[in-house]
Amino acid sequence: MPSMDYYPTVADLVDKRPWYHNRGILLVNLCVGLALLTSYTSGFDGSMSNGLQLVDEWQAYFNYPTGSILGLLTSVQNIGSLVVLPFAPLLTDGLGRRKAIFVGGMIMLGGVVLQVQSRDVWQFIIARGLIGFGIAFSVNAAPLLITEVTYPTQRSTITAMYNSMWYVGSIVSAWTTFGTFRMAGSTWSWRIPSVLQALPSLLQCTLIWFCPESPRWLISKKRDQEAKEVLGKYHGNGDVNHPLVDYEYHEIKEAIELEEEIGQISWLALFRTRGNRRRMRIIIALGFFCQWSGNGLVSYYINLILEGVGIEAAGTKTLINGLLQIFNFAMALGSALFVERVGRRKIFLASNAGMLLTFSVWTISSALFQETSSKVSGNITIVMIFLYYGFYDIAYTPLLVAYAVEILPFHIRAKGFAVLSITINFALIFNQYVTPVALDRIGWKYYLFYVGFLAFELGFIFLYLWETKGRTLEQTAVLFDGEPTADALFVEELGVQARRRESRKIVSPERGVNVERRVEIYPSMKRPESQITTSDMYEMKSWQNWEGATPRSREN
């Protein structure tokens, strides 16, 4: 192995100052904030569907829907999303992340207008289905844009915050219905929440054009100069010749060129290689886990759950719903801030173990209440709901999207993320359509299914979920195509990729100058061979396979 004494890493090139002191990072975070509104919209919609069931005027206007009609009212939005999701990657990969968000937002605005004007339950159902159409396009594109434009040191945290924003929308929706349910005798008690649902989509459609397009998407479309300008403005603080910009540009370009050798990417490509099958195994499992862990009971049928433990007053139910959403957001955001420190695997394991324990107690207390009408059992159930959601929130809110996006290489990222969304929607439709019927017929016994499934989840996470902490997107791709538990096999995989790069070097005369400039400017790049890790080797081989890129060895 050649001398590696002067190999720089991403950590050597990033700005070490607080992010708000760097104008480029500040600007990109403002743009990312706009993309985060997609999750806000999804949360507002999901919580509104739940919250409106607590509003007497809504119940009366639509003739107190129950059973299958209530299930369809709640699930139709996800049915609409499911219809569109197989086609959403075509828009995301074909037209770009920004245009996909714009198209999704416009469709949602149309659905909201129809929903506000609803005259009967079927118009309301059609409107929610149209909103589901739009959300599918936006949800497929927004997380990809976030993870592909965010500053390297903030990628994992901000991507984890994406799903946490679901609860911001949920909080606004829950407290809106808490306020409007008092508007007795007026249909505006449910129309006002519908009007407010349009605000984030309106902002996105108006302002998305001021945000950068994904540099990875631009490079995949042979628009390299635009990609370098984006990286320079937002990652190089306005300097397209910044060492970090040069590093990221070449790493992305090489990874995409390797992926392009595969040719046209079909849906079957998601399962063709061993590495992709590993990814899909985890992604499909997480899609079901995030909905079949028992959370759907409260997320969409809190009215039935609270009535099942003796809480009948609309004011009390809407207050509990509002407080729960605030608690959920606090837990999810707190976990998102510590994702990179603690690691994904540890958080998932703690989450699943905690959910299994608290949901088991929740099941027992619900059974006791229904059998004995014990007020203590009812109060314990409320406490367990909060504790259960605390454990759910630390992993499945911040990490569901973040983990799925980062383990997918660029060429299958949109399709792979669509698989996650499709799986979630299948699970949601089952939950939303079956749950009210099951609760009506077998009551607390329906909870036993989730107890068993939570035990299965814990075993699956322990066996199959791998740690990805501390890696770039390109390095994580290598991790899943190698063996994370065996360094020798991981290194062998890296060697195969390095030989493929060597066979088609990219000539860049200025790159050698840039490498030496980095070594001169950043003394921390000087690293003894004993400290080189297998993660570094991927980056190092990327550096060493351009003409003139190998750093010169120097004496300590």
Side-chain angles (χ1 to χ4, degrees):
M1 187 167 70
S3 176
M4 304 172 187
D5 291 353
Y6 285 90
Y7 174 63
T9 67
V10 170
D12 297 314
L13 305 177
V14 295
D15 192 338
K16 303 295 194 303
R17 298 175 299 168
W19 64 270
Y20 46 83
H21 289 167
N22 185 309
R23 184 174 182 274
I25 302 176
L26 182 62
L27 288 174
V28 79
N29 284 351
L30 289 174
C31 295
V32 164
L34 191 66
L36 290 173
L37 286 178
T38 299
S39 185
Y40 169 97
T41 303
S42 184
F44 190 102
D45 180 77
S47 182
M48 189 186 74
S49 173
N50 198 17
L52 289 181
Q53 296 176 45
L54 307 176
V55 178
D56 292 336
E57 289 301 323
W58 183 88
Q59 292 280 359
Y61 192 87
F62 294 111
N63 297 318
Y64 300 94
T66 58
S68 60
I69 295 296
L70 179 59
L72 183 59
L73 269 168
T74 309
S75 64
V76 69
Q77 180 248 14
N78 296 296
I79 295 173
S81 293
L82 190 61
V83 172
V84 171
L85 278 170
F87 309 100
L90 298 177
L91 194 63
T92 302
D93 285 338
L95 298 181
R97 283 49 167 145
R98 294 188 306 172
K99 290 182 180 178
I101 292 172
F102 176 79
V103 170
M106 292 299 295
I107 295 173
M108 280 189 280
L109 287 173
V112 169
V113 170
L114 189 63
Q115 180 176 270
V116 171
Q117 297 175 343
S118 292
R119 297 179 180 272
D120 55 46
V121 68
W122 294 110
Q123 183 177 346
F124 194 85
I125 288 172
I126 292 171
R128 289 191 53 72
L130 186 60
I131 291 171
F133 269 58
I135 284 179
F137 287 115
S138 295
V139 165
N140 186 252
L144 276 59
L145 180 63
I146 291 168
T147 200
E148 290 170 2
V149 304
T150 306
Y151 198 71
T153 56
Q154 298 186 334
R155 178 181 57 80
S156 60
T157 298
I158 293 181
T159 308
M161 288 174 63
Y162 170 81
N163 227 30
S164 303
M165 288 294 293
W166 193 97
Y167 283 122
V168 178
S170 184
I171 289 167
V172 174
S173 176
W175 286 97
T176 300
T177 54
F178 177 74
T180 60
F181 92 93
R182 294 175 172 79
M183 300 172 66
S186 173
T187 60
W188 284 105
S189 61
W190 62 266
R191 295 187 197 272
I192 287 176
S194 295
V195 171
L196 292 178
Q197 189 176 4
L199 181 59
S201 296
L202 187 61
L203 288 174
Q204 284 187 320
C205 291
T206 305
L207 301 177
I208 192 65
W209 308 113
F210 296 97
C211 297
E213 182 56 87
S214 163
R216 287 171 173 81
W217 182 83
L218 291 171
I219 290 174
S220 74
K221 298 301 180 182
K222 311 303 180 187
R223 294 159 62 177
D224 292 27
Q225 185 57 38
E226 291 178 60
K228 289 201 74 170
E229 290 172 359
V230 168
L231 290 171
K233 180 177 180 179
Y234 296 103
H235 291 193
N237 201 18
D239 180 9
V240 294
N241 296 314
H242 191 281
L244 177 63
V245 173
D246 190 55
Y247 182 100
E248 287 187 290
Y249 168 75
H250 285 95
E251 184 180 50
I252 294 168
K253 185 174 179 65
E254 181 176 352
I256 289 176
E257 288 185 346
L258 283 170
E259 292 166 3
E260 286 177 348
E261 292 178 2
I262 300 172
Q264 186 70 24
I265 301 300
S266 68
W267 288 95
L268 291 178
L270 298 177
F271 303 93
R272 190 165 289 146
T273 68
R274 186 180 181 188
N276 285 352
R277 288 192 294 272
R278 287 169 172 162
R279 295 179 178 100
M280 289 302 105
R281 176 175 62 194
I282 293 174
I283 284 173
I284 292 173
L286 291 180
F288 282 110
F289 291 176
C290 75
Q291 297 302 327
W292 283 6
S293 298
N295 55 302
L297 294 171
V298 173
S299 294
Y300 296 97
Y301 295 103
I302 190 171
N303 188 45
L304 299 179
I305 299 303
L306 294 180
E307 287 181 353
V309 292
I311 298 175
E312 301 286 347
T316 303
K317 288 186 286 190
T318 53
L319 178 60
I320 290 174
N321 186 39
L323 292 174
L324 181 60
Q325 305 316 315
I326 294 174
F327 175 76
N328 286 337
F329 175 66
M331 294 297 297
L333 183 61
S335 178
L337 297 176
F338 288 93
V339 162
E340 198 60 32
R341 297 183 187 180
V342 179
R344 286 70 156 158
R345 179 177 167 83
K346 289 180 181 178
I347 292 176
F348 269 111
L349 287 172
S351 172
N352 279 94
M355 284 194 294
L356 177 59
L357 176 62
T358 53
F359 196 87
S360 298
V361 178
W362 175 0
T363 301
I364 294 170
S365 61
S366 295
L368 288 173
F369 181 86
Q370 292 187 22
E371 296 296 328
T372 66
S373 298
S374 167
K375 187 175 181 180
V376 173
S377 298
N379 291 336
I380 290 174
T381 299
I382 300 302
V383 173
M384 286 301 109
I385 288 174
F386 275 81
L387 290 178
Y388 162 84
Y389 263 94
F391 283 109
Y392 178 91
D393 292 330
I394 64 173
Y396 286 92
T397 300
L399 288 177
L400 176 66
V401 170
Y403 190 81
V405 169
E406 71 182 6
I407 68 175
L408 291 165
F410 177 83
H411 70 294
I412 62 169
R413 189 167 292 144
K415 285 186 171 68
F417 189 68
V419 168
L420 175 68
S421 299
I422 289 170
T423 306
I424 291 172
N425 278 275
F426 268 122
L428 275 171
I429 291 168
F430 174 88
N431 273 356
Q432 294 167 343
Y433 199 78
V434 172
T435 294
V437 177
L439 289 174
D440 183 56
R441 293 184 180 179
I442 61 176
W444 68 268
K445 296 182 181 67
Y446 180 55
Y447 296 3
L448 295 175
F449 164 78
Y450 293 111
V451 173
F453 200 74
L454 281 166
F456 167 74
E457 288 180 22
L458 181 59
F460 183 96
I461 294 296
F462 180 79
L463 292 174
Y464 297 117
L465 193 129
W466 295 348
E467 185 56 73
T468 58
K469 164 173 94 164
R471 293 173 179 265
T472 66
L473 292 175
E474 284 69 32
Q475 290 169 350
T476 302
V478 176
L479 170 68
F480 275 80
D481 291 322
E483 282 287 351
T485 57
D487 260 5
L489 292 176
F490 190 21
V491 171
E492 180 182 350
E493 177 69 20
L494 294 173
V496 170
Q497 296 202 16
R499 286 192 293 275
R500 292 177 66 190
R501 296 188 192 97
E502 189 66 28
S503 67
R504 48 160 199 53
K505 292 180 179 179
I506 303 171
V507 178
S508 178
E510 75 278 10
R511 190 163 175 78
V513 176
N514 288 339
V515 170
E516 294 200 65
R517 177 188 170 204
R518 289 178 178 80
V519 174
E520 293 294 334
I521 296 175
Y522 300 96
S524 62
M525 294 179 185
K526 188 173 182 179
R527 304 179 64 187
E529 186 171 343
S530 60
Q531 294 180 13
I532 299 297
T533 66
T534 52
S535 298
D536 297 328
M537 289 184 65
Y538 174 79
E539 295 176 349
M540 182 173 55
K541 290 179 184 297
S542 175
W543 277 74
Q544 291 177 340
N545 280 288
W546 279 279
E547 294 289 348
T550 304
R552 297 178 182 176
S553 297
R554 301 183 182 180
E555 295 296 326
N556 287 329

